[in-house]
């Protein structure tokens, strides 16, 4: 059953209740009058008033103020007919409540006060004792009227609180929807950022590898060609161009950024072995040592980046012939894994100063230190050594 049908049934029940209440309370209010010869006529008059109040109850919610005024006139007529005052109390309270509950409290109070004053005057003029009319009965009627208005105020407050609660629930639902959508957007942005980081690193891997090979072959060609040969100038330009290209590539990758990806798995030992094999094909001697590490074990992204950067610098900025990559996992501490990495090459010329490190190595050292590790490089005898300790949380390895 819909809400409109339920409301109609409720109105019919209220109308029936008012009809029965007026008749029964009239019978109870003055039982001696019903033993008189004209009791049938009095019953008919009472039934007429009861029916009128019942019919009026059906429209009390549509026109509450008009219903209250008509009910007040009906009460006056009820008193004028000499019927017991007890019979009109419940009907009038219903109409008084109906007007007050929709916000006509002042109007309801004025009508109630006017009705009681008018009926009191009519009853006194009809010969009733003033003490009886203005005594406890008037006080009881005023108390009931005040109670009807108070109940209406309580219902108004209850509806306002219920409406406020529904609004809060709706706002909470909207906020939950907004938070869910915002979380979904943030997750999507995070996935896009990770995908961008992976893409940038793949680009760096491919381009850096081939540029490093080009530099290595250029160095070999320069050593094979006499300095006075015209090709040596072109080879020098090739070497300079590849070095600048690698520098621009590293700056681009750093600008794209890798965010949290720096502590996540960036490759495996097999990737380092593959890089070493490519360098060997180009004529460079490369040794890889990783005790305790399997070929398919995931390595932190920073490990992979440092190895690539160190190998690239060794090829471009030094006369490297031998490169040694050493990687060893340390025992976990506080739920975190520690990796020890070193990359050594023999590309330091006698009497040369320590390598400056470059922008890319400095950027990588900042990332390592931000993760709680350390990284350093410099000359070690006739070799150049880069060493780092890289932390990686266990829950970010997978």
């Amino acid at each position: 059953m819909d809400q409109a049908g339920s409301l109609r049934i409720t109105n019919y029940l209220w109308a029936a209740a008012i009809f029965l209440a007026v008749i029964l309370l009239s019978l109870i209010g003055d039982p001696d009058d019903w033993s008189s010869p004209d009791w049938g006529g009095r019953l008919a008059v009472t039934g007429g008033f009861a029916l009128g109040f019942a019919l009026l109850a059906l429209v009390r919610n549509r026109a509450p103020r008009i219903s209250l005024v008509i009910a007040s006139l009906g009460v006056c007529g009820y008193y004028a007919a000499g019927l017991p005052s007890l019979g009109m109390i419940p009907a009038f309270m219903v109409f008084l409540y109906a007007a007050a509950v929709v916000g006509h409290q002042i109007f309801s109070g004025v009508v109630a006060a006017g009705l009681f004053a008018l009926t009191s005057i009519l009853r006194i003029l009809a010969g009733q004792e003033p003490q009886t009319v203005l005594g406890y009965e008037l006080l009881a009627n005023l108390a009931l009227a005040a109670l009807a208005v108070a109940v209406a105020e309580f219902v108004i407050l209850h509806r306002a609180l219920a409406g406020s609660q529904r609004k809060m629930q709706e706002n909470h639902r909207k906020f939950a929807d907004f938070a869910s959508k915002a979380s979904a957007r943030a997750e999507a942005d995070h996935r896009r950022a990770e995908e961008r980081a992976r893409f940038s690193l793949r680009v760096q891997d491919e381009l850096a590898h081939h540029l490093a090979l080009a530099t290595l072959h250029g160095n070999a060609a320069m050593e094979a060609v006499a300095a006075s040969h015209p090709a040596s100038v072109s080879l020098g330009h090739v070497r300079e161009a590849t070095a600048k290209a690698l520098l621009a590539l590293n700056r681009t990758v750093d600008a794209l950024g890798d965010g949290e990806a720096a502590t996540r798995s960036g490759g495996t030992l097999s990737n380092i072995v593959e890089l070493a094999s490519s360098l060997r094909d180009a004529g460079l001697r490369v040794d890889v040592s990783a005790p305790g590490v399997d070929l398919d074990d995931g390595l932190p992204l920073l490990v992979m980046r440092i190895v690539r950067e160190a190998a690239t610098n060794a090829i471009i900025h030094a006369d490297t012939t031998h490169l040694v990559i050493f990687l060893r996992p340390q025992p976990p501490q506080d739920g975190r894994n520690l990796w020890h990495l070193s990359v050594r090459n023999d590309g330091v010329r006698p009497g040369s100063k320590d390598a400056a490190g470059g922008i890319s190595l400095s950027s990588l050292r900042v990332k390592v230190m931000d993760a709680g590790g350390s990284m350093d490089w410099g000359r070690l005898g006739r070799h150049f050594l880069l060493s780092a300790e890289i932390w990686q949380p266990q829950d970010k390895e997978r």
Side-chain angles (χ1 to χ4, degrees):
M1 182 180 298
D2 57 5
Q3 185 176 2
S6 177
L7 183 60
R8 284 195 298 269
I9 292 177
T10 301
N11 286 336
Y12 292 146
L13 292 176
W14 269 108
I18 291 175
F19 177 81
L20 294 176
V22 171
I23 292 180
L24 293 177
L25 291 176
S26 296
L27 292 174
I28 296 173
D30 195 359
D32 294 338
D33 289 344
W34 302 105
S35 60
S36 60
D38 59 345
W39 68 270
R42 293 176 62 84
L43 182 59
V45 173
T46 302
F49 278 105
L51 181 60
F53 283 127
L55 294 176
L56 191 61
L58 296 177
V59 297
R60 72 186 190 282
N61 293 325
R62 298 180 182 178
R65 290 194 294 183
I66 296 176
S67 299
L68 179 59
V69 173
I70 296 176
S72 301
L73 297 176
V75 171
C76 292
Y78 184 92
Y79 275 119
L83 298 175
S85 60
L86 185 61
M88 68 89 188
I89 294 299
F92 181 72
M93 294 300 109
V94 170
F95 296 107
L96 186 64
Y97 165 82
V101 80
V102 295
H104 305 307
Q105 295 89 343
I106 297 177
F107 178 81
S108 300
V110 172
V111 171
L115 175 64
F116 290 139
L118 180 59
T119 54
S120 298
I121 293 174
L122 292 176
R123 293 174 64 185
I124 292 174
L125 294 178
Q128 296 186 20
E129 293 293 334
Q131 294 84 352
T132 303
V133 175
L134 302 177
Y136 73 92
E137 184 177 340
L138 179 60
L139 295 177
N141 291 338
L142 290 175
L144 289 174
L147 179 61
V149 175
V151 171
E153 288 286 351
F154 175 79
V155 171
I156 292 173
L157 178 61
H158 176 73
R159 291 178 179 176
L161 291 176
S164 177
Q165 185 177 8
R166 286 193 298 270
K167 187 175 181 180
M168 290 179 61
Q169 291 175 350
E170 180 66 18
N171 291 337
H172 178 74
R173 185 189 64 80
K174 291 181 179 179
F175 177 77
D177 292 342
F178 174 79
S180 177
K181 293 178 181 178
S183 177
R185 287 195 298 269
E187 182 67 21
D189 292 341
H190 182 69
R191 288 195 298 268
R192 284 194 295 270
E194 287 189 338
E195 182 61 27
R196 184 182 65 178
R198 287 192 294 267
F199 175 76
S200 65
L201 292 173
R202 285 197 299 268
V203 171
Q204 185 194 37
D205 288 343
E206 295 293 332
L207 295 181
H209 173 66
H210 293 294
L211 288 173
L213 291 180
T215 302
L216 184 63
H217 287 294
N219 290 342
M222 289 183 67
E223 293 179 358
V225 176
S228 60
H229 195 281
S232 63
V233 178
S234 298
L235 291 174
H237 290 316
V238 170
R239 179 177 180 177
E240 182 181 359
T242 53
K244 290 181 178 179
L246 276 173
L247 179 60
L249 175 63
N250 290 331
R251 287 178 176 176
T252 301
V253 173
D254 289 336
L256 289 174
D258 47 21
E260 290 187 357
T263 59
R264 297 190 175 180
S265 178
T268 62
L269 179 60
S270 61
N271 298 125
I272 297 179
V273 173
E274 182 180 357
L275 173 64
S277 179
S278 299
L279 296 176
R280 292 190 194 101
D281 293 340
L284 186 66
R285 180 186 172 190
V286 182
D287 295 327
V288 178
S289 176
V293 183
D294 295 331
L295 288 176
D296 56 351
D297 285 346
L299 301 178
L301 180 60
L302 283 174
V303 169
M304 302 299 299
R305 292 196 61 183
I306 292 172
V307 170
R308 287 191 293 265
E309 186 67 25
T312 301
N313 288 346
I315 295 171
I316 295 177
H317 302 298
D319 298 328
T320 300
T321 60
H322 186 198
L323 185 69
V324 179
I325 302 173
F326 178 80
L327 178 65
R328 182 178 62 197
Q330 302 294 326
Q333 300 180 21
D334 299 329
R336 304 174 68 196
N337 292 335
L338 178 64
W339 295 86
H340 175 72
L341 170 68
S342 66
V343 182
R344 176 171 55 87
N345 68 78
D346 62 349
V348 178
R349 301 183 182 90
S352 64
K353 298 181 179 180
D354 291 352
I359 296 176
S360 296
L361 284 182
S362 299
S363 175
L364 287 174
R365 177 161 57 183
V366 172
K367 295 180 184 296
V368 172
M369 295 178 65
D370 288 342
S374 62
M375 177 177 171
D376 203 357
W377 57 84
R379 182 173 177 174
L380 182 64
R382 298 182 58 184
H383 295 81
F384 183 82
L385 176 65
L386 181 150
S387 61
E389 288 188 344
I390 303 167
W391 286 100
Q392 178 189 26
Q394 284 185 340
D395 58 352
K396 292 187 177 182
E397 287 184 1
R398 299 175 178 84

